Each structure stands twice: as structure tokens, then as C-alpha cells.
Amino acid sequence: MAGPLRGHLRHGAERVGWQPPTGPDGAAVTVKRPSLRVERALQRQGHRVLAGMDEVGRGALAGPVTVGVVLIDETCRSAPTGVRDSKLLAPHRRQALVPRIQHWSLGFAVGHAGPDEIDEIGIIAALRLAGMRALAEVAAAGVVPDLVILDGNHDWLTAPEDVGLFALTGDGSATPPVTTMIKADLKCSSVAAASVLAKVARDDLMVRLGGEHPAYEWEHNKGYAAPEHLDALRTHGPTVLHRRSWRLPGVMAQDAGMSAAGGPVG
């Protein structure tokens, strides 16, 4: 089922409730908006074309894992007003930002890795696959980054064979250099913009796929482990769009039955 998840996506509406971020006392929290301060420092170090990259869907039970990438150079001025980590934005604000981000950036793309690929190679390798698909799309348009900025402290984009001594056995790194930064989606405009593109694309896809599998209410939960999704899994079992290698309620019940009948497990 990987094929339908790889194409360009139209941006549909997200029909799900949203609440602004709050602190431990329930009061609204003012979040400092990201800037290009980090990106400008990296450019002064010689990395002229930068790629902000972020993922969405890593912890979902169904659907793809999705990676957005936004490329900028020194000609890209301040990001469009309102750009920030997609989780901090109401759905309609994310939607409105998409064309503005596309116009602002030097290049952009969204890549997916489907649930069958996640089952086959694991979530980290699937993240890498989705990220490389996004980079391949911008490369096809003639733009290659000098450095990729990843949110977090783990470089899931660089393949193990491209690291350290392993890299010496090949013809060079297959991926651009990567730097990681904790909370980069809150600090770096390019990464925040990438998070918006990734979330809008994946959410739109899950809304449309939800129409084919209405019992799971993906138009609301986007494939995550919401109560109504778990209830539907227990009642109906998994679809072909579920990550069947994960410990899903419906999958575990089916596996137990097959094991008792002498069939394969897992």
C-alpha cells in the first residue's frame, strides 16, 4: 500500500478539535516564535543552502510516517508571520500557511513511507526513507542542501553505512550532512515551516483515507491511538493501512487465534 501514499497531496480541512498550549496550571502559554538566527549562523559557517526537516506520524497506529523539508538560502528573509511548530497552530492557520511557506522557501517537499514499509523495515528506517524521498523531490528541481537541520537529538536521516568507518567503504555519503537540535521546531523557522507542510499533508491524507474506513474515525484522530480508534480495532481488526507489526488490539487477537490454530504468528 505504499504507492498511494507517495504522490503530491491536496490540502484538505482537518475536522478535529484544537486547544492552544497551556502550562501545568492550565493557563495559556505564550510561545516564543522561531527565527532564522540559527540558520544565519550556520550560513556564516559556509552552509549556504539549508534544509529544515521535521516528521509527523511516528507514533500513529495507521497511515504513513511523513517528513517535510523546507530549503532556504541567504535570499530568504524572515519566515511568513505565524510560522511555528505545527502542533502549536490551529488547523485553519496551518492550512493558510502552506502557500505562504511554499512561496517563501527556496524549495520544499513532503515525503511519505507507508505502513507496509514501516512493517518491513521499522520506523527509523521508514523515517529515513520518507526524508530521502522528500530530498529527492527537491533535488529533482535542482536544489540540494549543504546541511539538514533535524529536530531532536537523534539523526534518523543518515544511514548507518554513511557514518564513521562505514562511510569509508563506499563512494561517499548518500545523504547531506546533518545537524540535530533539540526543539529545533520551536527555534528554527525552516524546521517549523517543514513541520507545517508535513502535518497538513499527512492530516489531509488521513482525512481522505478515513472516508474509505469510516469505523476508525481517522478524520478525527489521524490514525493515532484515540479511544474510538482502539475500539474500532478491537471490533473490526486492522486494515491494510494499519502498522500490523505493532502491538495493535485487533492484530494481537488475530495472532492469538492463528497461533491456536497452528498458523503463523506475527
Side-chain angles (χ1 to χ4, degrees), residues 154-229:
H154 172 60
D155 175 9
W156 44 258
L157 183 64
T158 305
E161 59 267 24
D162 293 336
V163 177
L165 293 176
F166 291 107
L168 300 178
T169 64
D171 297 327
S173 176
T175 56
V178 172
T179 186
T180 60
M181 176 177 293
I182 296 174
K183 298 189 183 300
D185 52 358
L186 299 177
K187 300 173 183 176
C188 302
S189 292
S190 62
V191 179
S195 78
V196 171
L197 296 189
K199 183 156 180 61
V200 170
R202 186 182 185 279
D203 282 2
D204 176 59
L205 179 59
M206 294 308 295
V207 167
R208 291 192 283 113
L209 293 175
E212 302 172 11
H213 304 277
Y216 303 88
E217 299 188 40
W218 291 338
E219 68 274 19
H220 300 301
N221 59 58
K222 307 304 184 291
Y224 287 90
E228 71 276 4
H229 189 181

Side-chain angles (χ1 to χ4, degrees), residues 79-103:
T81 301
V83 167
R84 61 188 60 199
D85 177 16
S86 62
K87 296 184 292 294
L88 304 177
L89 294 168
H92 72 281
R93 295 192 181 279
R94 291 196 295 262
Q95 293 280 346
L97 281 169
V98 168
R100 297 169 61 194
I101 291 171
Q102 293 172 342
H103 179 75

Side-chain angles (χ1 to χ4, degrees), residues 40 53 94 135 180:
R40 295 302 187 226
M53 182 175 283
R94 291 196 295 262
L135 288 173
T180 60

Side-chain angles (χ1 to χ4, degrees), residues 27-90:
V29 173
T30 300
V31 180
K32 186 177 180 180
R33 69 178 185 175
S35 71
L36 291 176
R37 184 175 302 172
V38 171
E39 288 93 331
R40 295 302 187 226
L42 291 170
Q43 286 169 336
R44 287 193 294 271
Q45 295 172 18
H47 308 291
R48 189 180 73 83
V49 178
L50 297 171
M53 182 175 283
D54 203 8
E55 57 82 16
V56 64
R58 183 194 300 224
L61 306 181
V65 63
T66 300
V67 173
V69 62
V70 169
L71 275 64
I72 65 167
D73 64 8
E74 67 278 2
T75 68
C76 299
R77 300 306 178 187
S78 297
T81 301
V83 167
R84 61 188 60 199
D85 177 16
S86 62
K87 296 184 292 294
L88 304 177
L89 294 168

